[in-house]
Amino acid sequence: MTPDLETFRDSVVRFLEEEMQPQDAAARQRGHVGHEIWRRAGELGLLCTDIPEAWGGGGGDFRHEAVLCEEMACRGLTGMSMSVHSIVAHYILNHGTEAQKQRYLPRMAAGELVGAIAMTEPGTGSDLQGIRTRAQRHEGAYVLHGSKTFISNGFLAGLVLVVAKTDPALGAKGMSILIVETENCPGYRVGRVLDKIGLKAQDTSELFFDQVRVSEDGLLGGREGLGFAQLMSDLPYERLIIGVAALAAMEGAYKVTLEHVRQRQAFGQTVADFQNTKFKLAEVATEIQVGRAFIDRCVEDLLAGRLDTVTASMAKLWGSEAQGRAIDTCLQLFGGYGYMNEYLIGRMYTDARIQRIYGGTSEIMKEVIARGM
Ligand SMILES: Cc1cc2nc3c(=O)[nH]c(=O)nc-3n(C[C@H](O)[C@H](O)[C@H](O)COP(=O)(O)OP(=O)(O)OC[C@H]3O[C@@H](n4cnc5c(N)ncnc54)[C@H](O)[C@@H]3O)c2cc1C
């Protein structure tokens, strides 16, 4: 941390507590946060914080993203998938043509365009090469046909990166990413906002592409067949952000649990006085300390450009599994109140479950780690 980052953290906290938190219950009911809060976050300079200023971003680095992600995760504010938005912006920054960067990044930083990335399909998730969405060249454009599911920010997205096959005969080398601008886009349809067990304020949706025409300028990077390699090269960033959020959620859960057990009475003492409570929270506190050292080192490595996919996969695997264990332990100390949606710890419990599934499941993380042995 630096004094600059601390100042940035203060403005993030102010935004979250004064503007986002008061709207969270309504967003959970609705299933999405709405466009206005995205634009407000853009206005405050809280989107695309690690994108260079030349393209409208904040000109910061991954630590700015980590601060945002931490402050949201420790409060259980999961409605805006700012991390997916940033990941999308990074695909454009790292792989887009100059024209693509100029066209999209400033509007993403302003919150005018919410970003989504659509890989998963009803028939395939972990096995990305099994996708069936096709993009066929026809008269100076690509014609996109297929469907995607479980897409974060899907309902509000103004820009979707769609992973499609441009040449099915070539396997991984026949995959490309197309940039779809969703406004007034014939053939594009958003399906249901999916009814999930957690992340209630976040719009996870199905997307349908029925002969959607995307001009050739909408091919990410301007060359066919680069999609798989583009996806692979950004994995350390994506996986670390999940690890960062996991650890912050553990810290948030630990804090609210300490507060609860110190005031809740049972058998003439506080719940905090039971030896079991002390031991359970001692275990959680230890995991947090150990995790903090590892995650911070990964952040430093990412900044220095040396975080490899295997280590980032460890951060995602360990972080998401530890988050599940810690929040389960914390919830137990709330008794019945922990099972209530009204209580933050209950929401953190259901929100935590997805961390072991999206961005590559725990099993896939182990495969990747094992391949690096
Ligand atoms: C809330 C939410 C948000 C999401 N956001 C996005 C998004 O924004 N964009 C997007 O594209 N996708 C998104 N996803 C999809 C997510 O990434 C996939 O669900 C995930 O990758 C798993 O794919 P799957 O559901 O098809 O499960 P499957 O691939 O069918 O896996 C089923 C089980 O088999 C296991 N398995 C699969 N392969 C192996 C193997 N080789 N070895 C051992 N076990 C294996 C898996 O680990 C899992 O336990 C989201 C999902 C959810 C629920």
Side-chain angles (χ1 to χ4, degrees):
M1 294 303 295
T2 62
D4 267 5
L5 280 164
E6 290 298 352
T7 309
F8 177 71
R9 191 185 287 278
D10 291 343
S11 56
V12 168
V13 169
R14 210 171 317 119
F15 166 70
L16 296 180
E17 293 190 344
E18 290 173 11
E19 305 195 40
M20 202 164 166
Q21 225 155 19
Q23 297 183 30
D24 192 53
R28 276 187 266 126
Q29 287 280 328
R30 230 180 9 237
H32 64 86
V33 294
H35 280 291
E36 207 176 302
I37 193 102
W38 277 98
R39 281 193 282 263
R40 179 70 183 136
E43 205 174 278
L44 295 171
L46 303 179
L47 298 177
C48 301
T49 59
D50 59 352
I51 297 290
E53 285 172 3
W55 290 295
D61 59 41
F62 183 80
R63 290 171 302 173
H64 293 84
E65 288 295 306
V67 164
L68 258 167
C69 177
E70 280 176 3
E71 295 302 332
M72 286 195 287
C74 73
R75 289 173 177 76
L77 292 170
T78 50
M80 288 171 85
S81 187
M82 284 202 197
S83 46
V84 166
H85 187 75
S86 297
I87 287 165
V88 170
H90 272 259
Y91 278 114
I92 295 172
L93 177 73
N94 296 338
H95 310 292
T97 62
E98 188 59 35
Q100 288 167 346
K101 291 181 211 184
Q102 277 175 16
R103 183 172 173 85
Y104 299 116
L105 291 176
R107 286 155 76 202
M108 290 188 74
E112 285 164 20
L113 283 180
V114 175
I117 176 145
M119 296 176 274
T120 307
E121 300 184 355
T124 193
S126 306
D127 181 13
L128 191 59
Q129 291 194 37
I131 59 163
R132 298 176 62 175
T133 297
R134 280 282 272 128
Q136 277 175 298
R137 256 176 118 125
H138 183 67
E139 293 176 355
Y142 287 94
V143 178
L144 194 59
H145 196 77
S147 62
K148 299 287 180 179
T149 194
F150 302 148
I151 306 307
S152 305
N153 294 339
F155 180 70
L156 296 173
L159 183 155
V160 184
L161 295 182
V162 183
V163 181
K165 286 201 166 152
T166 34
D167 188 345
L170 290 181
K173 293 205 168 105
M175 286 165 82
S176 303
I177 301 179
L178 285 121
I179 308 172
V180 174
E181 291 181 60
T182 64
E183 200 178 37
N184 302 321
C185 178
Y188 173 75
R189 187 166 66 81
V190 181
R192 289 174 301 148
V193 171
L194 298 166
D195 181 15
K196 309 185 291 297
I197 62 168
L199 302 186
K200 292 286 190 184
Q202 195 179 116
D203 51 313
T204 312
S205 299
E206 299 169 310
L207 305 179
F208 299 97
F209 304 86
D210 182 9
Q211 314 288 347
V212 170
R213 280 180 72 81
V214 181
S215 82
E216 282 177 341
D217 300 342
L219 180 68
L220 185 70
R223 263 202 308 134
E224 277 184 26
L226 299 180
F228 199 74
Q230 290 167 340
L231 291 169
M232 293 304 118
S233 73
D234 283 12
L235 287 178
Y237 184 96
E238 297 173 29
R239 295 197 172 149
L240 180 56
I241 205 92
I242 295 178
V244 166
L247 185 65
M250 286 164 73
E251 289 169 341
Y254 171 73
K255 183 166 167 262
V256 291
T257 307
L258 261 187
E259 285 163 13
H260 181 81
V261 295
R262 281 177 176 159
Q263 56 80 29
R264 179 75 180 170
Q265 300 280 326
F267 298 95
Q269 55 184 3
T270 68
V271 172
D273 290 323
F274 297 123
Q275 189 186 48
N276 176 66
T277 305
K278 292 179 201 162
F279 281 13
K280 288 292 175 197
L281 286 176
E283 284 168 16
V284 172
T286 305
E287 284 223 84
I288 289 172
Q289 286 292 323
V290 173
R292 177 51 66 203
F294 175 51
I295 296 290
D296 281 356
R297 196 202 83 198
C298 289
V299 172
E300 280 172 15
D301 285 352
L302 187 96
L303 286 173
R306 58 169 182 253
L307 183 69
D308 58 85
T309 300
V310 169
T311 313
S313 302
M314 289 173 176
K316 201 258 171 195
L317 172 67
W318 180 86
S320 58
E321 296 281 341
Q323 177 185 2
R325 286 193 298 273
I327 292 178
D328 185 59
T329 300
C330 289
L331 186 148
Q332 186 69 14
L333 297 174
F334 276 75
Y337 296 95
Y339 200 65
M340 298 296 121
N341 274 320
E342 195 184 318
Y343 276 69
L344 176 58
I345 195 70
R347 300 198 297 276
M348 282 181 144
Y349 179 79
T350 46
D351 290 351
R353 191 61 186 85
I354 189 57
Q355 292 265 92
R356 288 148 64 188
I357 298 170
Y358 63 13
T361 62
S362 287
E363 293 72 30
I364 296 298
M365 294 307 104
K366 289 178 200 173
E367 276 290 330
V368 172
I369 295 162
R371 261 182 249 143
M373 282 171 186

